[in-house]
């Protein structure tokens, strides 16, 4: 005997579905631990004084220059003296002009000689925190007791919680938008299916809760790093004035509109599932149009809160990159969120039509096309070159993402093949049919007894339970008629006997409930056997589950990618650092020979000065003094000074130590910056005879 398998039935595999939904957060946590603190977009490109510089007099201020716009507070730049006391006025001045982004902090007057530490922390334009430190010296280097925070900005427990909240917010957005789009565009009848309703509502709850957590953690994440500061009202007010704070508050307001959308979708829209006249059909059509337009507007607005506060808002072509990023996020949510909704429908919904699966298949194809186009543009914009694909963290993560998308598309290809075969009736094996028919007859006997007992119970006040079981008995009779004729006859005879027996059990509500549970269990088992015999539908369930599993990994990689320094910026910074290192590597030691004459006895000779490696920073200096005969000349005192007239730096005094007769040296000679320096050498040959000779030398 041949029968057609049912659409889809409820399955006991619900734990697998729930596990898949939770796996996004767990996998995101793993990626957070493995990736560490993410690099940020902005970078410190220069400072005055420079790192390691030695200045003759105390500067009036310290200036920092960045590669892009950053957000600073009054405590973002701290200057500490050798005893770890703060010596800046805590008032930051914005010196930015054109493409130059510079900030300065004033220093107290009359600072003593020694080594000073500059610790800075800022928030880059793509909302990620950056921090660093460097030193400079007044007069000469000295020991310092200045201490810096052990944790970098955005690290520690606060950074971990912030990253987890980001994963949850992305997952919630995908479930909310993708689940709603699946109902409206592919399966309108799904609006009344409880598992789908729970999926979308859980997405809304996850996104709302994660957004609140991100807003509270923003102060410690970009500042102190202390979790207790999450409840600092002053810090929260400051966050609300920033671009990231504004984006998070806007997202919360849009989620309020999204709550109204969900309420209408699963309320008024679900109640109009089957219109009975033209007026109701028109009302449903208008409601569908309104929900579609409103849903697109709200979803686009929520997606824009990411585009306005992360990578898309900085760098080249920001005006084009932001709407492209919104399209990218919507395509991801429609595809992956709809995939999750389909998975829930396959395992948890009472039934789903093959036409709905085909409609989602077409929607997913369009989403993948949009995803590929927008992703290609984003890759070019953020990577910039082929070399950055393999040489930067961003490029390597992007290659992993592309590989995962390729795997996902390959699995989707097989899902489409299973979808195309759903319309073909699947014959169930004879053994299964016979067993199903026997079960149907047996079930009919039990259900009929329940119906009769319920009917008898009606007279004793059990009306509601009787009505339910009467309907169940009618359904069971229909199922029994599909079995063989002899089995039907036997079922009818047994049913008559059951009716007679059941009349003695009037009012036995416990028995009614027990029979109802038996009937439901037998119907479920029978439906499962028929469903499992349908190879096409079983194949579709497996392929969709595989798609969802890869999608979870893809979501985790994408979230890490959004917090990683773009390859274009990283490569530019590497080139800048490499050029500086290359210049240092190719610089030649400075070697200068100067004649001198102090005017006294044995006052003539030459002084040879060697500065190695002859670049900005620390150098080793040697001085050799020879007499007119070319032999080493021992003199009482030698002093050296360097002056950079163009930058008004110096003279920087250096007192070398006597190493041997005619040989003097100094270690750690600090040259603040490259340039044309004036070298002055003072030679004293007696108590009253000395002279100073000088020469301009190019250093660095």
């Amino acid at each position: 005997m041949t029968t057609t398998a049912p659409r889809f039935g409820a399955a006991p595999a619900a734990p697998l579905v729930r596990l898949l939904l939770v796996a996004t957060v767990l996998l995101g946590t793993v990626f957070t631990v493995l990736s560490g603190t993410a690099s940020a977009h902005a970078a410190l490109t220069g400072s005055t004084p420079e790192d390691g510089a030695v200045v003759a007099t105390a500067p009036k201020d310290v200036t920092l220059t960045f590669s892009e716009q950053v957000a600073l507070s009054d405590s973002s730049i701290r200057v500490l003296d050798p005893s770890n006391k703060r010596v800046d006025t805590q008032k930051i001045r914005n010196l930015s002009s054109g493409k130059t982004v510079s900030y300065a902090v004033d220093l107290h007057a009359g600072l003593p000689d020694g080594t000073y530490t500059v610790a800075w922390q800022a928030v880059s334009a793509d909302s990620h925190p950056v921090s660093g430190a460097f030193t400079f010296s007044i007069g000469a280097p000295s020991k310092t007791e200045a201490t810096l925070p052990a944790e970098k900005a955005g690290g520690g427990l606060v950074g971990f919680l912030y990253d987890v909240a980001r994963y949850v917010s992305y997952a919630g957005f995908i479930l909310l938008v993708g689940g709603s789009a699946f109902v409206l565009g592919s399966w309108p009848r799904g609006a009344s299916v409880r598992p789908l309703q729970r999926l979308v509502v859980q997405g809304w709850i996850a996104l709302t809760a994660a957004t609140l957590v991100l807003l509270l953690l923003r102060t410690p994440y970009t500042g102190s790093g202390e979790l207790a500061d999450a409840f600092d009202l002053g810090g929260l007010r400051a966050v609300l004035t920033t671009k990231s704070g504004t984006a998070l508050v806007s997202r919360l307001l849009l989620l309020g509109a999204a709550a109204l959308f969900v309420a209408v979708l699963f309320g008024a829209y679900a109640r109009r599932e089957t219109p009975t006249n033209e007026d109701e059909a028109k009302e449903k059509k208008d409601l569908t149009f309104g929900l579609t337009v409103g849903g697109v507007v709200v979803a686009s607005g929520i997606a824009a809160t990411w585009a306005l506060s992360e990578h898309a808002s900085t760098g080249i072509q920001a005006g084009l990159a932001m709407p492209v990023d919104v399209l990218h996020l919507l395509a991801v949510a429609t595809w992956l969120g709809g995939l999750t909704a389909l998975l829930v429908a396959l395992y948890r919904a009472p039934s789903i039509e093959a036409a709905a699966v085909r409609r989602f298949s077409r929607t997913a194809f369009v989403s993948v096309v949009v995803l590929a186009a927008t992703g290609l543009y984003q890759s070019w914009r953020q990577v910039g070159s082929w070399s950055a694909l393999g040489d930067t963290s961003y490029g390597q993560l992007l290659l992993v993402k592309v590989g995962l998308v390729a795997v996902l598309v390959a699995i989707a290809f097989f899902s489409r093949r299973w979808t195309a075969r759903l319309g073909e009736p699947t014959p169930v094996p004879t053994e299964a049919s016979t067993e199903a028919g026997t079960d149907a007859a047996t079930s009919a006997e039990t259900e009929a007894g329940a119906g009769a007992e319920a009917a008898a119970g009606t007279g004793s006040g059990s009306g509601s339970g009787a009505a339910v079981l009467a309907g169940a008995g009618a359904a069971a009779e229909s199922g029994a008629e599909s079995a063989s004729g002899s089995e039907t006859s036997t079922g009818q005879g047994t049913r008559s006997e059951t009716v007679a027996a059941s009349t003695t059990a009037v009012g036995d509500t416990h028995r009614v409930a027990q029979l109802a549970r038996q009937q439901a269990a037998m119907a479920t088992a029978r439906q499962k056997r028929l469903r499992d015999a349908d190879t096409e539908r079983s194949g579709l369930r497996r392929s969709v589950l595989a798609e969802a599993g890869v999608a979870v990994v893809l979501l985790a990689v994408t979230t890490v990618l959004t917090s990683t320094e773009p390859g274009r910026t990283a490569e530019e910074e590497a080139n800048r650092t490499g050029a500086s290192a290359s210049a240092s590597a190719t610089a030649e030691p400075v070697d200068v020979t100067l004649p001198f004459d102090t005017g006294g006895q044995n006052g003539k000779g030459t002084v040879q000065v060697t500065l190695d490696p002859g670049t900005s920073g620390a150098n080793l200096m040697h001085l050799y003094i020879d007499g007119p005969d070319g032999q080493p000349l021992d003199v009482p005192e030698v002093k050296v000074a360097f002056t950079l007239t163009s930058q008004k730096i110096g003279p920087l005094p250096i007192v070398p130590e006597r190493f041997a007769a005619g040989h003097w040296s100094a270690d750690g000679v600090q040259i603040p910056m490259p340039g044309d320096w004036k070298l002055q050498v003072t030679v004293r040959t007696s108590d009253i005879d000395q002279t100073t000779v000088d020469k301009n030398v190019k250093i660095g």
Side-chain angles (χ1 to χ4, degrees):
M1 179 177 177
T2 302
T3 184
T4 301
R7 294 291 182 186
F8 292 99
L16 289 177
V17 179
R18 287 194 293 270
L19 180 62
L20 189 59
L21 299 179
V22 175
T24 300
V25 178
L26 298 180
L27 191 60
T29 302
V30 173
F31 269 91
T32 301
V33 174
L34 294 179
S35 63
T37 303
S39 300
H41 201 157
L44 182 69
T45 59
S47 65
T48 304
E50 288 189 343
D51 184 13
V54 179
V55 296
T57 58
K60 294 182 179 180
D61 56 30
V62 173
T63 303
L64 275 67
T65 303
F66 296 91
S67 60
E68 66 170 32
Q69 289 292 335
V70 295
L72 299 173
S73 64
D74 289 339
S75 60
S76 292
I77 302 177
R78 294 177 297 140
V79 183
L80 308 174
D81 68 6
S83 62
N84 200 33
K85 293 182 180 179
R86 192 165 178 176
V87 295
D88 60 276
T89 61
Q90 302 186 32
K91 292 183 179 180
I92 296 179
R93 293 180 287 115
N94 189 348
L95 304 180
S96 303
S97 61
K99 294 183 178 180
T100 302
V101 181
S102 297
Y103 296 87
V105 60
D106 294 328
L107 302 179
H108 296 313
L111 295 181
D113 291 355
T115 297
Y116 290 78
T117 302
V118 181
W120 58 273
Q121 181 171 299
V123 180
S124 63
D126 55 8
S127 79
H128 302 300
V130 289
S131 61
F134 63 91
T135 62
F136 70 92
S137 300
I138 300 175
S142 68
K143 293 183 178 180
T144 178
E145 298 178 358
T147 58
L148 300 175
E151 292 288 349
K152 292 184 178 180
L157 177 60
V158 170
F160 173 79
L161 294 176
Y162 192 89
D163 286 341
V164 170
R166 290 178 63 251
Y167 286 107
V168 175
S169 65
Y170 276 116
F173 174 75
I174 286 175
L175 295 182
L176 172 63
V177 175
S180 301
F182 179 80
V183 171
L184 273 177
S186 301
W187 194 32
R189 194 171 65 82
S192 59
V193 176
R194 284 299 179 89
L196 274 183
Q197 293 177 356
R198 285 194 294 268
L199 179 73
V200 175
V201 171
Q202 287 168 358
W204 183 90
I205 293 174
L207 179 55
T208 303
T211 303
L212 286 171
V213 171
L214 289 172
L215 189 60
L216 291 175
L217 290 179
R218 192 67 191 171
T219 297
Y221 179 69
T222 59
S224 66
E226 299 293 334
L227 187 60
D229 289 343
F231 304 100
D232 180 12
L233 295 180
L236 182 59
R237 282 194 296 269
V239 167
L240 296 179
T241 62
T242 64
K243 182 171 65 173
S244 298
T246 302
L248 291 172
V249 171
S250 300
R251 189 182 303 168
L252 287 174
L253 295 175
L254 288 167
L255 283 170
L260 178 61
F261 168 86
V262 172
V264 175
L265 178 64
F266 297 140
Y269 182 80
R271 287 193 295 270
R272 289 172 172 80
E273 180 179 335
T274 54
T276 57
N277 53 55
E278 290 185 2
D279 291 338
E280 291 184 0
K282 185 177 183 303
E283 287 180 3
K284 182 170 184 178
K285 182 179 180 180
D286 293 341
L287 185 58
T288 302
F289 177 78
L291 283 174
T292 302
V293 174
V296 169
V297 171
V298 173
S300 300
I302 295 175
T305 61
W306 275 289
L308 291 170
S309 61
E310 295 196 348
H311 287 327
S313 63
T314 63
I316 63 173
Q317 300 181 358
L320 176 61
M322 286 188 288
V324 169
D325 193 51
V326 170
L327 283 176
H328 191 79
L329 286 171
L330 292 178
V332 170
T334 303
W335 182 21
L336 301 186
L339 192 67
T340 306
L342 175 60
L343 185 65
V344 171
L346 291 175
Y347 278 101
R348 298 294 295 154
S351 64
I352 180 172
E353 299 84 3
V357 181
R358 293 193 184 93
R359 282 193 293 269
F360 172 71
S361 181
R362 290 191 292 269
T363 302
F365 176 78
V366 175
S367 299
V368 171
V369 172
V370 174
L371 186 66
T374 55
L376 185 64
Y377 169 76
Q378 288 178 327
S379 300
W380 167 81
R381 179 176 177 271
Q382 300 290 13
V383 176
S385 66
W386 291 107
S387 60
L389 278 175
D391 296 341
T392 65
S393 298
Y394 188 94
Q396 293 164 2
L397 280 172
L398 183 62
L399 290 175
V400 173
K401 179 181 177 180
V402 171
L404 288 172
V405 171
V407 172
L408 203 56
V409 171
I411 299 175
F413 170 76
F414 290 101
S415 295
R416 286 176 63 87
R417 293 184 61 183
W418 288 117
T419 301
R421 300 168 60 180
L422 284 180
E424 303 171 6
T426 303
V428 180
T430 305
E431 294 80 5
S433 299
T434 303
E435 185 179 0
T438 304
D439 286 343
T442 306
S443 177
E445 294 172 9
T446 305
E447 293 162 354
E453 186 171 335
T458 305
S460 59
S462 304
S464 58
V468 173
L469 289 180
E477 288 179 8
S478 176
E481 289 173 0
S482 66
S484 64
S486 60
E487 292 173 334
T488 303
S489 300
T490 304
Q492 289 173 348
T494 307
R495 184 163 57 249
S496 299
E497 295 173 2
T498 306
V499 171
S502 63
T503 55
T504 62
V506 177
D508 189 354
T509 56
H510 177 73
R511 178 61 175 165
V512 170
Q514 184 180 21
L515 291 174
R517 286 193 297 270
Q518 291 176 354
Q519 178 271 334
M522 294 177 68
T524 299
R526 182 173 63 253
Q527 193 176 36
K528 181 179 183 300
R529 282 194 295 271
L530 293 175
R531 186 193 63 242
D532 291 343
D534 187 349
T535 56
E536 284 77 10
R537 298 172 192 277
S538 297
L540 177 62
R541 280 193 298 273
R542 288 192 296 269
S543 63
V544 171
L545 183 61
E547 281 188 76
V550 176
V552 168
V553 183
L554 178 62
L555 175 61
V557 173
T558 301
T559 308
V560 174
L561 199 62
T562 60
S563 62
T564 303
E565 183 178 7
R568 184 187 294 270
T569 307
E571 194 171 53
E572 290 175 355
E573 181 66 19
N575 290 339
R576 188 163 47 241
T577 305
S580 177
S582 176
S584 299
T586 56
E588 296 180 357
V590 174
D591 193 352
V592 179
T593 301
L594 301 171
F596 66 87
D597 185 359
T598 62
Q601 186 178 5
N602 299 325
K604 293 184 178 181
T606 59
V607 55
Q608 180 183 358
V609 180
T610 302
L611 195 66
D612 190 13
T615 62
S616 58
N619 289 264
L620 175 64
M621 185 176 69
H622 289 279
L623 289 91
Y624 300 93
I625 300 178
D626 296 330
D629 57 358
Q631 297 299 315
L633 178 65
D634 207 7
V635 298
E637 184 181 20
V638 176
K639 294 187 293 185
V640 181
F642 288 91
T643 304
L644 185 60
T645 306
S646 61
Q647 299 294 328
K648 298 181 180 181
I649 298 177
L652 304 180
I654 300 171
V655 181
E657 296 180 356
R658 183 178 180 277
F659 184 77
H663 183 189
W664 302 70
S665 66
D667 192 9
V669 176
Q670 293 286 341
I671 304 298
M673 63 180 65
D676 291 324
W677 289 80
K678 181 180 181 181
L679 170 64
Q680 294 174 302
V681 181
T682 301
V683 180
R684 183 170 64 86
T685 57
S686 68
D687 291 340
I688 59 173
D689 298 321
Q690 75 174 32
T691 186
T692 298
V693 293
D694 61 72
K695 185 176 182 179
N696 290 333
V697 296
K698 189 171 185 177
I699 300 178

